[in-house]
Amino acid sequence: MVLNVPGLVVMAGFYLLILGTGIWASMRSKRAEKTCTGDGMEITLLAGRNINLLVGIFTLTATWVGGGFILGIAEATYNPTLGAVWALMPVPYVLTFFLGGFFFAKPMRENKYVTMMDPFQQKYGNVLSSALIFPALVADVLWVARTLVSLGGTMAVILDLSYIYSIIISSVVAIIYTLLGGLYSVAYTDVIQLILIFVSLWVCVPFLMTNPHSLDISLTAYNQTFQAPWVGTVELDEAGKWFDDFMLLALGGLAYQAFYQRILSASSYTQAQVTCFASSGFCLVLGIPSVLIGAVAASTDWNSTSYGLPTPYERDQAGSILPIALQYLTPPYISIIGIGAVAAAVMSSMDSALLSSASLFSSNIYKNIIRKQASDREMQWVIRISVVVVGLAGTALTFLDSSVLVFWLVGVDMSYTIMFPQLVCVLFFKVSNGYGATVGYMMGIIMRVLSGEPLIGLPPAIKFPGCRLDAEGKLTQFFPFRTAIMVISLVSILLFSWLTSIIFNKGLLSERWDVFKIKRKQATTPRAADGKRTIPENEDGSVAKQLLDTTSC
């Protein structure tokens, strides 16, 4: 196979379009800095809290419909040990957006937070909050890695371009336009990218469905042909694992900074809700083409194609089934259109992950801990350096594993088992405090590590009921263990928070042992109940002051 020059030309045009859009949006961002009353960091990270409704819907949808979404769904549908019933991504995301719109958006917006870690920093202090930020940052870096893996594999198959070059070029382009304009650049490029994703995927589907090498997918849905039926099954002894994966994707997404970045950038609570509800519908629609592509691949006689035997699954290339199907089952010009969809999806998610992690580090670590008096200009440079560092870290990880699902599930796993229970407690339970949060944090990490993870070759030390070898010979937990760990962590936070509250409020331990100052903070709750923000009397006074600042454009 030789280098696909026409495809390279098309991809170069696509990258120039995205880069041009990012530059235009960065100019808009600079104009906003002159007309908004808020600080420059808030304009960069939240677009001055005045993002357009339609742009908000596009950028939230594009953030979730990334390369991992498109390739992961196709991979699960094609994989004979899984099937479409295990390609869960679109449906749980509907629950993510509805829960976020109904419950999580209100407290985050009412308090005018800049990041999702602000309530932790305000309530628990800097030391514990810094520890809690770590899994959120790791999840974002893994997010960058999984999006780049999806594009690198696609370009390598269709364009015959080196995997390394594909990843580096895409990474550089995304980093550049994210650096230029912050959320403005990310949001407006997401509009272009989402349109390209939608059009490109649906253009490819008819050609795949009518190719001469594949059977009618309705015939292979429930019948054994070239491989197991592509619909797949969920046996009774697998129901726990299926439920666990569903809840992981549905609730894990609520602990991502990128989600709250979109909610907080809306001009009102109502607009934030509409953004969430509309995005849920778009996610469902955009998941359909990937399911169809995976189904066609599962219905294909690969021996009759130029790909030949063994099949992609037998060659351990299930993770690249979408580009393989496009390359060998459609005309060349259609496969080039298909790679445009993957590239757009990758860029739309990668820029969100870059800005998300930059937000956490610059606002919650640098501004609130390292340099409380940092100027706007200094913060702009901190954000830019953070974007570059996260981009480089995510790019480096792509050379360790080529499976999209590995990075996807491990990243969301951390958000679900560790961060989600912490976020629920800090937002909705006044009794929660630093002691409970510390115990819950340690419980979540220890139990998750001891439970093992077959995707990264980590054997389980704790074997939940039903732990056995899966179809691929890997020791797997079929009990909904991640949901169990999440619940145990949540209960631990509340229980130990309540116990320590009693211990210090009843005087069972001297107040000088109260390192988190929970007795002093609880004394301020009547003022908070009156609709005013609670300002801690310890090191975090500057944090609370920053959170009270408003921005209007």
Side-chain angles (χ1 to χ4, degrees):
M1 185 175 176
V2 297
L3 193 63
N4 189 332
V5 177
L8 284 176
V9 172
V10 172
M11 289 307 300
F14 164 74
Y15 281 136
L16 289 174
L17 173 63
I18 296 301
L19 196 56
T21 304
I23 293 172
W24 171 82
S26 69
M27 295 168 63
R28 179 183 174 90
S29 174
K30 291 177 181 177
R31 288 198 299 270
E33 290 182 18
K34 298 177 181 179
T35 57
C36 294
T37 59
D39 59 43
M41 185 178 74
E42 201 166 275
I43 293 171
T44 300
L45 301 182
L46 300 178
R49 300 187 192 269
N50 196 36
I51 203 78
N52 177 275
L53 173 60
L54 186 60
V55 174
I57 293 172
F58 272 76
T59 188
L60 181 58
T61 305
T63 298
W64 257 246
V65 181
F69 180 93
I70 292 176
L71 270 73
I73 291 174
E75 178 183 349
T77 304
Y78 165 73
N79 192 320
T81 65
L82 297 174
V85 293
W86 292 89
L88 297 170
M89 293 78 163
V91 179
Y93 287 170
V94 174
L95 183 58
T96 299
F97 291 138
F98 270 81
L99 289 175
F102 277 120
F103 300 106
F104 288 81
K106 189 173 183 179
M108 296 296 285
R109 288 193 56 83
E110 282 183 346
N111 292 289
K112 293 190 178 297
Y113 294 133
V114 176
T115 75
M116 76 169 189
M117 297 306 300
D118 286 346
F120 294 97
Q121 207 154 27
Q122 183 192 5
K123 191 169 187 179
Y124 300 154
N126 287 333
V127 176
L128 179 56
S129 296
S130 298
L132 291 171
I133 288 174
F134 179 73
L137 289 174
V138 171
D140 280 337
V141 172
L142 291 174
W143 191 355
V144 171
R146 73 173 181 248
T147 56
L148 287 174
V149 163
S150 60
L151 183 58
T154 303
M155 283 189 170
V157 170
I158 295 179
L159 302 182
D160 198 28
L161 183 65
S162 167
Y163 179 83
I164 296 175
Y165 290 152
S166 303
I167 286 176
I168 292 176
I169 293 170
S170 304
S171 178
V172 168
V173 173
I175 289 172
I176 288 175
Y177 73 72
T178 306
L179 285 175
L180 290 174
L183 187 58
Y184 271 112
S185 289
V186 170
Y188 282 95
T189 53
D190 280 348
V191 174
I192 303 296
Q193 290 157 352
L194 194 64
I195 293 173
L196 287 173
I197 294 169
F198 182 84
V199 173
S200 300
L201 285 177
W202 282 107
V203 166
C204 295
V205 166
F207 290 89
L208 283 162
M209 299 282 285
T210 57
N211 87 86
H213 305 289
S214 304
L215 298 177
D216 187 332
I217 62 173
S218 64
L219 300 177
T220 58
Y222 298 100
N223 300 305
Q224 177 85 25
T225 50
F226 304 112
Q227 63 175 58
W230 61 264
V231 170
T233 58
V234 179
E235 302 296 338
L236 184 60
D237 58 357
E238 298 175 325
K241 187 176 186 303
W242 186 93
F243 174 78
D244 205 28
D245 289 347
F246 185 96
M247 297 303 292
L248 169 78
L249 294 169
L251 302 183
L254 289 169
Y256 270 103
Q257 161 63 12
F259 176 73
Y260 297 101
Q261 202 153 25
R262 273 73 190 158
I263 286 178
L264 294 171
S265 67
S267 59
S268 67
Y269 171 55
T270 301
Q271 180 178 322
Q273 283 191 312
V274 173
T275 299
C276 290
F277 302 153
S279 297
S280 65
F282 279 113
C283 281
L284 280 177
V285 173
L286 289 166
I288 296 173
S290 292
V291 173
L292 295 177
I293 293 171
V296 169
S299 309
T300 297
D301 177 9
W302 290 101
N303 192 36
S304 67
T305 69
S306 58
Y307 183 86
L309 294 177
T311 65
Y313 176 74
E314 292 168 339
R315 296 187 196 186
D316 198 26
Q317 292 183 335
S320 300
I321 193 60
L322 187 145
I324 289 173
L326 292 174
Q327 175 66 16
Y328 294 96
L329 303 179
T330 65
Y333 63 93
I334 293 299
S335 64
I336 293 173
I337 294 175
I339 195 177
V342 177
V346 166
M347 306 293 275
S348 67
S349 284
M350 181 178 174
D351 54 21
S352 300
L354 291 174
L355 193 61
S356 170
S357 51
S359 302
L360 294 175
F361 177 80
S362 60
S363 179
N364 297 106
I365 295 179
Y366 192 86
K367 178 71 173 178
N368 293 339
I369 300 176
I370 300 175
R371 284 268 297 167
K372 296 182 179 181
Q373 305 304 319
S375 65
D376 274 355
R377 182 177 177 80
E378 182 179 343
M379 290 309 303
Q380 294 297 320
W381 279 105
V382 172
I383 293 171
R384 290 168 185 153
I385 293 172
S386 303
V387 167
V388 173
V389 171
V390 173
L392 293 176
T395 303
L397 283 176
T398 59
F399 304 115
L400 300 180
D401 197 289
S402 61
S403 173
V404 177
L405 285 176
V406 169
F407 288 118
W408 185 315
L409 292 176
V410 173
V412 180
D413 198 320
M414 294 184 66
S415 296
Y416 180 49
T417 57
I418 299 173
M419 289 306 303
F420 177 73
Q422 296 283 352
L423 190 63
V424 169
C425 290
V426 79
L427 289 179
F428 303 109
F429 293 92
K430 292 182 179 180
V431 71
S432 66
N433 57 45
Y435 301 104
T438 302
V439 174
Y441 183 66
M442 297 304 298
M443 287 284 289
I445 292 177
I446 293 172
M447 290 197 65
R448 184 61 194 92
V449 171
L450 294 179
S451 297
E453 180 51 65
L455 289 174
I456 59 175
L458 181 66
I462 300 176
K463 296 182 180 179
F464 289 85
C467 182
R468 64 182 186 277
L469 296 177
D470 63 9
E472 296 180 340
K474 298 177 180 178
L475 192 60
T476 304
Q477 306 273 15
F478 283 85
F479 183 82
F481 72 103
R482 288 171 297 202
T483 300
I485 292 172
M486 184 274 291
V487 172
I488 291 172
S489 178
L490 190 147
V491 171
S492 299
I493 295 170
L494 297 179
L495 177 61
F496 281 89
S497 293
W498 176 70
L499 288 175
T500 53
S501 179
I502 290 178
I503 289 173
F504 287 110
N505 287 329
K506 297 291 186 180
L508 300 179
L509 271 181
S510 171
E511 191 173 337
R512 64 192 179 93
W513 294 100
D514 186 7
V515 295
F516 287 108
K517 311 298 180 187
I518 60 173
K519 187 173 183 180
R520 193 182 305 174
K521 290 180 182 179
Q522 287 173 349
T524 65
T525 53
R527 283 180 290 168
D530 292 333
K532 299 179 181 180
R533 297 293 310 282
T534 302
I535 302 178
E537 296 177 25
N538 61 2
E539 64 196 34
D540 301 310
S542 62
V543 178
K545 183 179 184 299
Q546 178 194 349
L547 298 179
L548 282 167
D549 291 340
T550 59
T551 302
S552 59
C553 294

